[in-house]
Every structure is written in C-alpha cells, then in structure tokens.
C-alpha cells in the first residue's frame, strides 16, 4: 500500500516486497538472504535485529526485500528459507548460552549491509553468548589466523542489547575459514564445559 | 518522596502516583489506562515499554499516573486492571509468535501519547510478531480500509527492539474498526499456518 | 590480539584481559567484581548490561577487566565468581517478577562506574521487576531512611529496556543498609502477593 510504503521509507519503485523474519537467529538468515539476492533481481531494503531468540540471549531477524517483480521476490524468499535451514547447522545452543558461525566465500549485498564486509570478499562470522565466550573465541580466532576484523559488536555496541560478542572478519578465503573453524572449536569446548552439551537444531554442520 | 520525585522528573503537584506495569502486553494496558484516565482526575506521567513478554517477542509495560488525590489514582488503577483483562481478549499467542489488536472509538491522553493518534479520534492498533507478520497484516489492513497511519514501529523504529511490526491508525470509526478486523483475520491465518494455533489468554475477543 | 584490542578500544597496556559474563543478574556480579578489583591489580575496562536473564525481565552482564599481569586477572575472576555466589542470596525470583538488592560499605571502581556512587562511599542497590514494584519499593526505601539517590533507572532510562525500576543510593552506612532492608521487606510482600513465592537461587540472604 502506498501510505504504508511512505512510512517505511522504501523506494516506491519496488512494487513487490518480500519479508523474512524469525524469532531466533541472525547470521544464518542474513547469509541465506545474501545468496537469495545474488540469485534473483531483488534488493535488500532493511535488515533489523530484534532482541529475541525465544528467551535465549541473542537476536531474531527482520529482513525486507524489494523488487519490481513478484516472482523474483517469491523466489528469493524460497531460497532464503532453504538456506536458513542449511545455515542452522552452524548454530549451537546449550542451557548456558549459544554460538553461531558463518562463512561465505563472497559476500553479497546483505552481508555487506549488515556486517560491513567489502562486497565480493570472503566473510567470516563468529558469535558467542554469554558475551564473555564471544570475546574469548574472537580473540582465539584472530590470533590463529591472519584476518581483518570488519565489525565488532557487544551488548552495547551494534547489537540490540543481546548478550553476545560478535566479530565479522574478512581476508583470504582459507584464512577466514580457518578463523571461523578455530573459533568454533574453542567455543564448543568452553560452552560444553559450562554444564550442558551445545547442540545445533539440524545436527549438520556445513563447515 | 520528594527526592525520588526530583529524579523521576514528575510534577510535584501530583502528590499521588499510580503505577501500573506487567511483564506481558502493551496496547491492551495502554487502552485500559486510557479509559481510566478519562474516568478519573488523573494525568499520564510516563508510558514506557520494556522489552519483555516473558520470553515472547514483544513488550511489557510500565505506566505512571499522577493525581492530587489518592482516591482518584486508586480508582484509575482499578479500572485499568479490569479493562486490561477485557482487552487481553484481542491478544493471540502461539508457539511461533503473537498478534495484538485494539480499537477505541475515541482516543484519550494515553493513546495520544503512546501512539500519536489525535486526541478524541478513533484509534486502531495492529501488531504482529515475528515482525514479518506485522508488516503483512499492516499492509492488508490499510489496503482494505481507508485509514491514516499515525505511527509505524519496527524492531529498530519506536519499539524497544521487539520482534514486531506495529501500526496505529485513525480515520472514521467504521473504517478503523474494519482495518483492525481485516488485520486480525489475516494475522490469525498466517500465525496458525506456522505450526501451532494462536490463543488469547481470555478466549473472549471484544471486536 | 592487537587487532581485536584496537576494535575494543581497551588500553594496550593491559596485556591480560579478564572477561566475566552471565545470562542472569547484574548488581550481584558488579558488586563481586568491585571487591575483586579492590583485592588485585586490575582495572575495570567495560561494564555492559545486555537485556537477558533467560526470559525474566532483567539484565545479564558483561564485564571486562584489564591488567598487566595474568595472575592478577585470574585471581580477580576467581574472587568475582565466589562473591557472585554470595551476592545471589539477595536475588529473589518468582513467576511474576524479581527483586535484587545489594549493599557495600565502600564502593570501589566497578560500582562507581556502573551506578555513579562516589568512590569509597556506602552503596545501596534496590531493583524490582515488573517496573511498578521497583518504583514502589524505591519510594518506600527513600521515605524510610535518609539516603541520597545517585542513580535512577527505568525501562527507558539507563537500562537496556529491562522491565525494572532501579535506584542506587548512598549516605551514611546504617541509613543505606536500612533503606535496602526496607525495600526488601516491602518488595517481598508485594511480589509474593502476586501469586507465587519469590525465592533466591542460594536461599542465603547476606543482609
């Protein structure tokens, strides 16, 4: 509707909007939308991260896509849903907290907008909750691997007051991947030492 | 206490304060307080929306009323509690998210302050969580009915990072009511299609 | 890592960082760290309060300490963990909300930074959720006892949108303690009248 569009501030040229949101997760969904936008004629209009996760310490997500074509938007949402499921393999949740990891060989518009990674470059995402775990695994990762930090987020910086420390990194593809895998190894050890075993919703890691 | 009053910034003329808050809900409580203030000699001092809802994706509420008379404040709180229970009939919660609707034929001070609806005018409130549902039902409602959007809220705009899109609308009474009812119909269909049936705490819709 | 340190903004002179965070609680942890910093050669680098508490209406915490010595940082974290457990005796949780109280005869760097209490002075902390309870017990406490309010926090002021009203007070030691104990008495009565009995995680009050 035009009146609503005026309030949203979205360019009226995008006659079709695709809306994507869930209560739990952020990086996995943004990664998924990133690929969906690459594969269709859609633009990212907004990426917002509510403080949610159904009682966990992290974010939910709210992403709006725009296109001049209904079918492009529909296809983008389909791709996003499929890939979100794949990406959930790198989300690990225990009673004590959670970890999320992501890697993309080539960041598109969504990752560039959300995490300041240069368009087309490798992207690594490292997130831990409670926040202390996030800082420790971020430190371990950047010590182990030659990568550049492009975004640094804490409860007060860049998050919606979530209980997380997050870094996004770039660099050459193998170093970025190595940083993420190192962080995952350390993070799972730490989180599992806090009393309960962290599990991913799908049980299928993609890294 | 005067020292506390100085910190709150409330006008010292209001010798009696009424405080109203709960962990879950916002529009229903603000509507209730709106009627309570109309019926008593009280003023709205603050309306704040913590990010709460006991693990759901929405708000709690914290509303402070002031009056020169203890009995007016007491009566206002009694009315607010009664009406909150009535209004809870238009809150719908499922495992996937929640919806909240409200309608008032004549907005008073609380609705004017919280949602920018002109004093004395019809007021409609449409809220959906996760946020994507909120945007879709807002769009459906304003397409179906000739109303004016007076407030537009998202995880990053106007909410406390809740996982909601919210609109407040005004216009002629029947159009506003129709917009809200259309949103409710679409919202329940969408939310119920996400795997579990949405239910209201009271089971008694008032619209 | 130096690259991460540049992003954090922490003084590179602190070669060792201690990180402390949990999903639930704030004052108890800050009090604990306050004592730990007094007892070791560490500095407070950041105190951040995510909106967390595992579904309750309050905060979690994320505190970073710095030192030139690894052993000092390690000792500070050990002390913090021990004292957090002691302080948890003044946290009371029910189905309806929670209360937290704290008292220190002599505020150190952590309390000064987090709650604006003058360094070396007595410190009292009074917190209630839902926010209405917080305001009522704050008012009761400052009426009952001659103390000065040094910090006032609400869902929109100074918190991370938690559903709490919080005051920090100073004054002479016995008055501050009395204010906190009065607030606790009133708060437990109120919270217990809301349908379920509030309990502390340890069952051992220290005040």
């Amino acid at each position: 509707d035009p009146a609503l569009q005026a309030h949203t501030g979205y360019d009226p040229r995008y006659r079709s909007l695709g809306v994507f949101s869930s209560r739990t997760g952020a990086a996995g969904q943004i990664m998924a939308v990133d690929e969906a936008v690459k594969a269709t004629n859609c633009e990212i209009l907004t990426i917002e991260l509510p403080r949610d996760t159904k009682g966990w310490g992290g974010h939910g997500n709210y992403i709006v896509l725009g296109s001049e074509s209904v079918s492009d938007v529909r296809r983008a949402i389909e791709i996003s849903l499929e890939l979100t499921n794949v990406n959930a393999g790198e989300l690990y949740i225990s009673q004590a907290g959670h970890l999320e990891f992501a890697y993309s060989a080539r960041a598109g518009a969504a990752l560039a907008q959300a995490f300041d990674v240069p368009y087309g470059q490798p992207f690594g995402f490292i997130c831990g909750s409670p926040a202390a775990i996030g800082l420790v695994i971020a430190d371990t990762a950047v010590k182990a691997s030659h990568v550049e930090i492009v975004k640094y987020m804490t409860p007060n910086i860049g998050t919606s007051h979530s209980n997380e420390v997050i870094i996004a990194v770039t660099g050459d593809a193998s170093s970025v991947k190595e940083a993420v895998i190192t962080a995952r190894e350390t993070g799972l050890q730490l989180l599992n030492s806090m009393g309960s075993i962290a599990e991913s919703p799908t049980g299928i890691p993609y890294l």
Side-chain angles (χ1 to χ4, degrees), chain A:
Chain A
D1 185 84
L4 183 59
Q5 195 148 38
H7 279 269
T8 60
Y10 302 145
D11 189 328
R13 166 164 75 91
Y14 299 118
R15 306 226 6 236
S16 302
L17 297 186
V19 209
F20 189 80
S21 74
S22 46
R23 299 220 27 222
T24 303
Q29 283 82 352
I30 295 170
M31 283 268 295
V33 169
D34 196 67
E35 292 301 321
V37 167
K38 282 179 195 167
T40 58
N41 191 15
C42 289
E43 302 282 332
I44 302 287
L45 301 185
T46 335
I47 301 176
E48 302 186 16
L49 302 182
R51 172 69 188 80
D52 200 344
T53 58
K54 297 194 173 181
W56 270 270
H59 289 110
N61 57 84
Y62 172 56
I63 303 169
V64 184
L65 307 177
S67 176
E68 297 175 46
S69 134
V70 176
S71 64
D72 268 313
V73 158
R74 185 166 295 147
R75 184 73 194 115
I77 296 293
E78 284 167 7
I79 296 172
S80 300
L81 289 169
E82 281 162 33
L83 292 179
T84 292
N85 196 45
V86 175
N87 296 344
E90 293 296 348
L91 176 63
Y92 301 89
I93 301 178
S94 80
Q95 285 308 308
H98 67 264
L99 306 167
E100 190 172 9
F101 305 101
Y103 168 77
S104 168
R106 198 170 65 77
L111 293 171
Q113 177 170 334
F115 300 113
D116 300 342
V117 57
Y119 193 90
Q121 294 303 303
F123 164 80
F125 176 90
I126 293 165
C127 165
S129 170
I133 289 189
L135 186 66
V136 171
I137 65 175
D139 189 54
T140 309
V142 298
K143 270 176 180 149
S145 198
H146 185 69
V147 292
E148 184 195 344
I149 299 171
V150 289
K151 187 127 189 176
Y152 166 71
M153 302 165 84
T154 74
N156 282 4
I157 305 172
T159 70
S160 303
H161 303 295
S162 69
N163 198 340
E164 300 172 314
V165 166
I166 297 170
I167 57 169
V169 300
T170 193
D172 68 76
S174 62
S175 301
V176 168
K177 200 163 186 173
E178 191 193 335
V180 174
I181 287 171
T182 305
R184 182 177 69 185
E185 207 174 285
T186 312
L188 285 171
Q189 277 170 16
L190 278 171
L191 197 55
N192 289 343
S193 73
M194 290 171 78
S196 73
I197 298 303
E199 286 177 13
S200 98
T202 64
I204 310 168
Y206 72 89
L207 288 177

